[in-house]
Each structure stands twice: as structure tokens, then as C-alpha cells.
């Protein structure tokens, strides 16, 4: 377990600024998504609503993380003094338990699959994501390397399943999407995989013997960057996909509703 007393004053302040930046990004993204939601067709507004909900939940938890960080230690006499309250790392896992399944659901919703496929994929991917988070938490708070290693291995099982589904399982469904969003949806799936790759890597640091103030900086900064990419950037990508699909469908509807120019000739009266 990483100890706060090993932090220098600069490291302590830097992590506080990282949390503040995370809060600002999540809050501003939430406002943008919800205020601009009406720009998309009604079919895709649920996906945008969930995207904003994800960043709103994250913003709340980053506020709590900041408050816990400020309460866990303070700067006095030129050094970081631990208060004894402890830094609550559970806030991240509560956040991930709520937001990670929703991330996958918003991707499924914006693809506008059949009701049966939407429900099936949402349950399977959302359930696997929740299981991944639940299995990761005991190792995060464990005081010994062995326990951390065991739960890292266990949490990687649903993680690998999710990666497989995003990279391979959705390939056929993505191929059926409009041409103007196929690439974006593929990039959204890749973004999820790439940003989530931060978590198991950062999780491994204590197993590799990386400790001290530098380790705390890497862990908290790495988690925050991964959160921003997986929630805020991903949410904005979902918004762009929804807008493009809305525009494409509006164009199709306009063509279908337009009066036929080649109307049958009007018969003249006798």
C-alpha cells in the first residue's frame, strides 16, 4: 500500500492539481453534452444522456477524492503531515462500478442495434465490466503483494472478455453502420481498450516494487488520465457519432419526403 508520508510537498500539490483538473474536465463535459443533446435526433439522445451521466458521476467522485486528499494530509513545517484520516481510494472503485458498465451501454445505444442485440450486449458487457471492478478492489486495498497479484489476475479475465467483444464481437455490427460513422465507432471501441489498458498497468506498479512518492504520483495521475480518456473524450466521440448519424438519417428522410419531380402527366379535359 502506498503511504502518503513519502510524498514531497511538490508531489502532494501536484496530485491535488491533477484531481482538480479531472473534476473540471468531467464537469464541463457534462454541461456540454446535456446542453447540446437536442442537436441529435431523439433516437440517439439516450446515448448522449448516459454519456453526460457518466461524466457527472465522475465529477462528483473527483470532488470527493479531492476532499479526501485534502483531509488525509496537509503541509506543515516544510513537509507533508499525514492527518490519520486516510485517503479513501474506494471512491474510484465506486465511480468505476457505476460508470464503466454505462460506458459500454452508451456505445451500444449509439450504434442503434436491434432491441434484442442491444439488450444482450448491454447485459453481457455491462455485467463483465462490473465484475472486473469488483474483483479489482480487494487487490487495490490489500496490504501484501500476493493478494494484489491474485486479484489482478482474476480481474483480467472479464477485462480480456470485454476487449475481445469490442475488437472482434462488434466487428459485424460496426460493418452495418453508416459509412460516415464506421471509422468513428471503431475508434471509440479502440479508445475504450486503449484507455482501460492504463488501469492494469498502474495496478501492477506495487507488484513491480515501485513505491514511495513517485509511485503515488504515477498511480493517481495515470488513473486520472485514463478516466478523462475513457469518459470525457469517449463521451464527446459518442456525441459526434450521434450527430453524424442524425444528419445522415435526416438527409435520407428529406429525400424520401420530397415530392416526386417526375409526376405522371395530368390528363387534359375533353
Amino acid at each position: 500500500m502506498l503511504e502518503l508520508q513519502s510524498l514531497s510537498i511538490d508531489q502532494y500539490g501536484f496530485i491535488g492539481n491533477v484531481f482538480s483538473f479531472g473534476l473540471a474536465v468531467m464537469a464541463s463535459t457534462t454541461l456540454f453534452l446535456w446542453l447540446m443533446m437536442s442537436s441529435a435526433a431523439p433516437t440517439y439522445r439516450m446515448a448522449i444522456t448516459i454519456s453526460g451521466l457518466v461524466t457527472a458521476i465522475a465529477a462528483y467522485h473527483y470532488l470527493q477524492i479531492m476532499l479526501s486528499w485534502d483531509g488525509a494530509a496537509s503541509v506543515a513545517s516544510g513537509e507533508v503531515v499525514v492527518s490519520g484520516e486516510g485517503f479513501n481510494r474506494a471512491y474510484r472503485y465506486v465511480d468505476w462500478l457505476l460508470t464503466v458498465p454505462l460506458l459500454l451501454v452508451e456505445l451500444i445505444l449509439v450504434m442503434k442495434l436491434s432491441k434484442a442485440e442491444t439488450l444482450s450486449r448491454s447485459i453481457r458487457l455491462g455485467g463483465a465490466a462490473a465484475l472486473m471492478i469488483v474483483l479489482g478492489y480487494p487487490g487495490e486495498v490489500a496490504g501484501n503483494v500476493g493478494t494484489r497479484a491474485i486479484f489482478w489476475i482474476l480481474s483480467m479475465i472479464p477485462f480480456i472478455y470485454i476487449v475481445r467483444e469490442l475488437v472482434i464481437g462488434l466487428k459485424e455490427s460496426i460493418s452495418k453502420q453508416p459509412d460516415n460513422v464506421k471509422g468513428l465507432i471503431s475508434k471509440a471501441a479502440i479508445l475504450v481498450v486503449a484507455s482501460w489498458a492504463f488501469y492494469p498497468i498502474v495496478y501492477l506498479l506495487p507488484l513491480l516494487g515501485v513505491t514511495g512518492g513517485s509511485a503515488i504520483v504515477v498511480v493517481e495521475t495515470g488513473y486520472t488520465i485514463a478516466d478523462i480518456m475513457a469518459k470525457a473524450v469517449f463521451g464527446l466521440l459518442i456525441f459526434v457519432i450521434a450527430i453524424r448519424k442524425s444528419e445522415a438519417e435526416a438527409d435520407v428522410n428529406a429525400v424520401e419526403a420530397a415530392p416526386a419531380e417526375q409526376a405522371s402527366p395530368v390528363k387534359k379535359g375533353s
Side-chain angles (χ1 to χ4, degrees):
M1 185 177 295
L2 304 176
E3 301 296 341
L4 300 189
Q5 60 261 32
S6 61
L7 289 166
S8 68
I9 295 177
D10 290 339
Q11 289 171 333
Y12 176 77
F14 177 79
I15 294 175
N17 290 333
V18 168
F19 293 153
S20 177
F21 179 72
L23 170 61
V25 171
M26 298 300 181
S28 58
T29 303
T30 300
L31 289 175
F32 174 82
L33 291 172
W34 284 349
L35 290 174
M36 296 298 294
M37 182 173 55
S38 59
S39 302
T43 305
Y44 304 107
R45 290 176 187 171
M46 179 59 74
I48 298 175
T49 300
I50 293 177
S51 296
L53 181 60
V54 166
T55 50
I57 293 172
Y60 166 76
H61 283 110
Y62 266 94
L63 175 60
Q64 295 300 322
I65 289 170
M66 284 178 58
L67 294 175
S68 178
W69 183 256
D70 289 340
S74 60
V75 176
S77 302
E79 62 181 11
V80 176
V81 179
V82 178
S83 66
E85 294 182 14
F87 176 51
N88 190 350
R89 293 182 175 85
Y91 283 128
R92 284 202 184 277
Y93 278 82
V94 173
D95 176 76
W96 293 340
L97 185 61
L98 295 172
T99 59
V100 171
L102 290 176
L103 285 170
L104 299 173
V105 170
E106 67 186 78
L107 176 61
I108 299 302
L109 287 176
V110 84
M111 292 177 68
K112 196 181 176 182
L113 306 174
S114 66
K115 289 184 178 180
E117 187 176 2
T118 297
L119 180 60
S120 174
R121 290 192 180 277
S122 296
I123 291 175
R124 286 189 285 116
L125 289 174
L131 180 61
M132 176 180 66
I133 302 305
V134 170
L135 289 174
Y137 180 68
E140 181 71 41
V141 297
N144 62 82
V145 173
T147 302
R148 192 178 186 92
I150 290 172
F151 282 99
W152 182 85
I153 293 171
L154 292 175
S155 63
M156 285 299 293
I157 296 173
F159 174 79
I160 292 171
Y161 168 77
I162 294 170
V163 170
R164 180 189 176 281
E165 284 296 302
L166 291 176
V167 175
I168 300 175
L170 287 178
K171 187 174 293 185
E172 182 179 352
S173 299
I174 292 174
S175 68
K176 299 176 182 178
Q177 296 295 306
D179 291 337
N180 66 335
V181 296
K182 283 182 182 178
L184 283 178
I185 293 176
S186 295
K187 289 177 181 177
I190 292 172
L191 177 62
V192 171
V193 174
S195 59
W196 284 12
F198 274 98
Y199 300 111
I201 293 173
V202 172
Y203 193 97
L204 276 177
L205 289 180
L207 300 179
L208 300 176
V210 181
T211 58
S214 297
I216 300 176
V217 171
V218 172
V219 167
E220 300 304 334
T221 303
Y223 280 156
T224 302
I225 291 173
D227 277 347
I228 290 173
M229 296 299 294
K231 296 169 186 174
V233 176
F234 181 77
L236 294 174
L237 192 53
I238 292 295
F239 174 78
V240 173
I241 292 170
I243 294 298
R244 287 195 181 182
K245 293 189 74 172
S246 299
E247 292 173 347
E249 292 177 7
D251 291 341
V252 171
N253 293 335
V255 170
E256 293 177 349
E261 296 182 0
Q262 300 296 329
S264 58
V266 179
K267 294 183 179 180
K268 295 183 179 180
S270 55

